[in-house]
Every structure is written in C-alpha cells, then in structure tokens.
Amino acid sequence: MSTFQAPKGTYDLTPPSSATFLAVREAISAPLRDSGYGYIETPGFENVELFARGVGESTDIVTKEMYTLTTKGGDQLALRPEGTASVLRAALEANLHKAGNLPVKLWYSGSYYRYERPQAGRYRHFSQVGAEAIGTEDPVLDAELIILADQAYRSLGLRQFRILLNSLGDKECRPVYREALQTFLRDLDLDEETRRRIEINPLRVLDDKRADVQKQLTDAPKLRDYLCDACKAYHEEVRALITAAGVVFEDDEKLVRGLDYYTRTTFEFVHDGLGSQSAVGGGGRYDGLSEMIGGPELPSVGWALGVDRTVLALEAEGVELDLPATTSVYAVPLGEEARRVLFGVVTELRRAGIAADFAFGGRGLKGAMKSANRSGARYTLVAGERDLAEGVVQLKDMESGEQTAVPLTEAAAELAKRLG
Ligand code: ATP
Ligand code: MG
C-alpha cells in the first residue's frame, strides 16, 4: 500500500473535478432553499441507539454497514450512516416543532459512512444532500419534495433518470399485508438469514437483489391490494399532484427501500447509465419515526440524493456543467519591482470582489503565461521594468489576444469596468 493512499472505499475530491461536486451540491440544494427549507447541520456521529432504533435493528445499514465506536469515556457512538434520524433528533432537541409553523422544513448536505463492499458508485464514505419536512401529513408536501428533486436533477441537465413510486401503507393496513407476505415467504426455498428476515422485516425480502430470490417472489402478495382506503386516497392524490406538475414517474409495487421507518409514499430516483448502483436518490414518508426515537407523533417526509452517484450520472450522460472560471484576472510580474506593484493590484482587485491570482515564485514569462491560461482568467496583467518606468501595465484580453497598455493607477478600475 502506498503511503498516500486514502482508506479503502474512500476517495478524495481534488481540483479541478472537485468543482463539479460543489456545483452538484449547490444545484440540488437550490430548489430547496427557494422553497422554504432552512439549512441544518448535525454532528458526524450520534449515539448508536438513535440509528439502531430509528433506522431499524434489522436493516443492513444497522446490522452490517454501520461504523460503531466506543469512546474513551465509554459512550457507544456511530458514524452517521444516513441523515433523517439525526435531523429529526436535532429538530426535537431544538423544539423546532413547537416553534409554531409546521411543517418544519430543513435541508442538509454532508458526509455519510457505511461499511460496504466498495465498488463503482458504492463507497464507505459518500456524500448526500437531503431534505426533511417534519410534522405534517399532506400529500402536497410529498409531491413538493418529489417535484423539487426532479427539478434539481433537471437543472443539472440530467435526463436519463426515472422516478419509481410506491405506497407502503400505514399502521392500519401494513400489518395485515405483513402477515400475508410472511405466510407466502415461509413456504419459499430461502437461506437461513433470509428466513430470519421474514420474521423481523418481511417487506425487505422483496428488496433482495438476488435473481433466484426475485424469481420466487413473482407471485408474492402485492401491498397495493392491501392498502386501506385512507392510504389509497392519499397515494392517488400524490400521483395526481406530481402528474399535474408534469413530472413523469413509474408505479413500482416492489419498491420498499432499505430503511424500516417508511410509511405511505416511497420513491426512488434511478439512473439508467449507472449499472447496478443505479439509485441516485430516494426517500419517502416516515410517519412513525419520531415516536420510534422517543418523540411525539410527527408525520414527516423527506429524501436524500447521493452526490457521488449524481456526479457519475452526469458523466454517464456526458453532461458537462457550465462552471464559471474561478479566476478572472491573472497577474504576471517580470522582476522584483513588478512583483510588489502587481501584487498590490491583485490585492486591490480581490478587495473589489474580482477573482484574481498571481504568478508566484518569480518564474519566467513563458511558464507564467501557461499558468495564466490554465487558470481560465479572462484578463492577464503583465508588467516589466520598462512598463513600470512608463507607469503602465500591459492588459491582455485572453479571448481576443488583444493587448493594451493601461496606466498603473487605473488598472483595477479598468478591469472592474471590463468585467462588468
Ligand atoms: P443502495 O440500494 O444502492 O444501497 P440505499 O437504499 O442504501 O442505496 P439510501 O440509504 O436511500 O440508499 O441513500 C440515498 C442515496 O445515497 C442513494 O440513492 C445513493 O445515491 C446514495 N448512497 C447510499 N449508499 C451509498 C454508498 N455506499 N456510496 C455512494 N452513495 C451511496
Ligand atoms: Mg444501501
């Protein structure tokens, strides 16, 4: 192993490609920020019970994927594997749900950790942007979140994604279905672990990725046939609202997702260019989660979109984001005196809000101009001894190649004018 290798299943974001990650986080959160969602940030770790209870003791996330640790003080902590339980915990702790307006609408962006088998699109450290709307049961809210995720992906230029939609029922109808499903599953030819899962969380067997298991599930009872009237009506309303918004979706009755806390509306965004790690995001309603972690009844809905996989989806579709150059002006000094003078101009530009950079290290003209080109700067300022003697700097337009001598004292103002 090389000394400089990041841990297995992780990778670094470095320039220039890191700019794409920032732009994706920005694009995903923009529709949320414009829709009344406030920013929330929670710690990278939590007490382990929060996830054990919140995400579900029997989920892969809790049984296999969670990074847990014991602190020197004896506390059992877990690196956060997902955002929802933490955000709800934080909202309850801060009493946001008592402050007046419900729903409490929050968005977040951060790193998440799961001990998974690393492969393309599946990492041990990954990044999500998420949204939660806490404390209100209203199909318009479910629709809002689906529409905003669709808007975020579209604003990035993604087109080859699909929205899968399902309803998981509520505490009235889901138990009836659960029992019918268990009866069906107990007769199948399944391994020990899956048989155990039938007893703890049978719906998750439907999510099994293995082909031989899926084959046996063809005739499994369908949740749709068991939904109570209230859940059916709720689901129809969500479908009608997103249809009216022109958002295309597919009904997927097998969609259950990996977390225990979902009720009613459940959805996943999949991208067809990603191979087996096709889910770029997912979410749904989690009406029982607050009570599960010891809080009051707070019906809620949310989603989390994977930043890493969204970047892979952009690559798969060949979408190049239109990222503005980070540097507008690049200064190239020739000689000691020019260094001091041009650095002064660069500082002046920066204070005026103009992105400017400088050829450090006293390099020659050729190397410095290469750096100027690479920086993407629109203008270069060059000055040598003769220019300074005349009280000017050479201002070069990097697009047209045109070069003009500008009085030193007016250089910053001239650039501000040209850059608008
Ligand atoms: P999968 O079925 O692929 O394991 P999941 O259901 O576990 O996904 P969620 O918990 O719903 O995923 O997380 C939401 C999004 O976060 C996923 O759609 C995906 O884009 C991203 N994600 C989840 N796990 C990883 C991971 N290990 N590496 C990279 N991205 C991930
Ligand atoms: Mg997973």
Side-chain angles (χ1 to χ4, degrees):
M1 191 172 56
S2 138
T3 332
F4 299 128
Q5 185 119 41
K8 187 175 172 188
T10 71
Y11 64 101
D12 304 301
L13 300 178
T14 53
S17 59
S18 52
T20 305
F21 274 76
L22 274 184
V24 166
R25 289 195 185 113
E26 171 72 22
I28 295 177
S29 57
L32 299 169
R33 285 181 273 130
D34 288 344
S35 308
Y37 290 75
Y39 179 66
I40 185 165
E41 192 164 317
T42 66
F45 50 81
E46 295 276 354
N47 288 322
V48 74
E49 312 91 78
L50 175 68
F51 301 118
R53 287 161 72 196
V55 179
E57 306 259 17
S58 75
T59 59
D60 283 349
I61 293 178
V62 171
T63 56
K64 295 194 290 209
E65 299 171 1
M66 200 155 66
Y67 282 92
T68 52
L69 62 119
T70 308
T71 65
K72 291 194 176 87
D75 296 330
Q76 296 282 325
L77 302 178
L79 300 187
R80 59 182 180 187
E82 59 104 49
T84 303
S86 309
V87 167
L88 189 54
R89 195 266 313 136
L92 289 169
E93 181 173 341
N95 278 318
L96 298 185
H97 60 296
K98 291 185 188 157
N101 280 355
L102 290 179
V104 177
K105 301 210 289 186
L106 302 165
W107 75 273
Y108 60 87
S109 171
S111 293
Y112 296 86
Y113 307 87
R114 295 184 193 175
Y115 188 74
E116 303 214 58
R117 194 166 70 78
Q119 49 199 297
R122 190 174 292 287
Y123 313 105
R124 291 180 173 178
H125 166 263
F126 60 98
S127 175
Q128 292 183 337
V129 173
E132 314 292 350
I134 297 165
T136 304
E137 187 188 88
D138 183 341
V140 180
L141 202 51
D142 307 42
E144 165 173 295
L145 279 161
I146 294 170
I147 293 165
L148 292 176
D150 177 80
Q151 188 180 326
Y153 284 141
R154 286 189 183 279
S155 77
L156 283 164
L158 288 173
R159 293 295 176 267
Q160 290 161 29
F161 64 89
R162 289 179 292 129
I163 302 172
L164 310 179
L165 185 69
N166 195 18
S167 171
L168 292 179
D170 63 7
K171 57 177 186 284
E172 300 303 318
C173 53
R174 174 118 130 242
V176 184
Y177 171 70
R178 188 177 187 272
E179 237 181 87
L181 182 64
Q182 280 176 321
T183 308
F184 171 86
L185 293 173
R186 284 185 193 121
D187 286 339
L188 301 183
D189 177 25
L190 297 165
D191 59 277
E192 256 325 292
E193 198 193 327
T194 312
R195 300 201 74 82
R196 259 198 306 278
R197 188 169 284 167
I198 294 173
E199 305 311 320
I200 310 167
N201 191 347
L203 266 74
R204 290 204 54 254
V205 179
L206 297 177
D207 198 24
D208 201 304
K209 306 273 194 302
R210 292 169 296 184
D212 60 310
V213 176
Q214 279 303 324
K215 219 169 103 196
Q216 298 189 68
L217 296 173
T218 320
D219 295 325
K222 305 252 187 295
L223 183 50
R224 190 178 52 188
D225 301 330
Y226 287 78
L227 290 186
C228 63
D229 288 343
C231 283
K232 259 189 219 153
Y234 194 96
H235 196 55
E236 279 317 309
E237 186 60 20
V238 174
R239 293 176 78 255
L241 286 162
I242 59 179
T243 303
V247 171
V248 179
F249 63 92
E250 297 167 26
D251 293 304
D252 180 355
E253 359 175 17
K254 284 246 172 74
L255 183 70
V256 292
R257 305 184 35 74
L259 300 92
D260 274 356
Y261 51 60
Y262 285 112
T263 51
R264 289 196 167 168
T265 314
T266 306
F267 50 88
E268 197 160 87
F269 286 75
V270 294
H271 193 275
D272 291 324
L274 292 187
S276 48
Q277 266 57 253
S278 62
V280 285
R285 185 156 273 286
Y286 49 92
D287 292 343
L289 180 58
S290 174
E291 286 155 295
M292 259 183 236
I293 65 170
E297 191 183 340
L298 284 172
S300 307
V301 56
W303 52 241
L305 308 188
V307 177
D308 311 74
R309 288 188 198 168
T310 303
V311 170
L312 293 174
L314 288 170
E315 285 167 15
E317 278 199 46
V319 178
E320 290 266 359
L321 297 184
D322 187 18
L323 301 173
T326 46
T327 302
S328 300
V329 179
Y330 198 93
V332 176
L334 304 170
E336 276 305 310
E337 179 60 13
R339 250 151 63 109
R340 283 190 289 270
V341 171
L342 279 195
F343 186 58
V345 177
V346 162
T347 300
E348 197 183 338
L349 288 169
R350 288 171 174 167
R351 286 181 177 152
I354 294 171
D357 205 356
F358 187 80
F360 296 95
R363 279 173 304 156
L365 182 62
K366 215 171 135 201
M369 286 311 285
K370 247 191 214 160
S371 300
N373 262 318
R374 212 175 296 136
S375 77
R378 177 67 208 277
Y379 294 101
T380 309
L381 282 179
V382 185
E385 269 170 42
R386 202 185 317 148
D387 299 306
L388 295 183
E390 290 171 18
V392 298
V393 289
Q394 302 296 326
L395 196 165
K396 186 176 176 187
D397 183 327
M398 299 296 273
E399 262 170 38
S400 66
E402 196 183 310
Q403 188 168 312
T404 33
V406 177
L408 180 61
T409 47
E410 285 162 33
E414 173 66 19
L415 280 163
K417 197 178 86 197
R418 290 201 191 194
L419 288 161

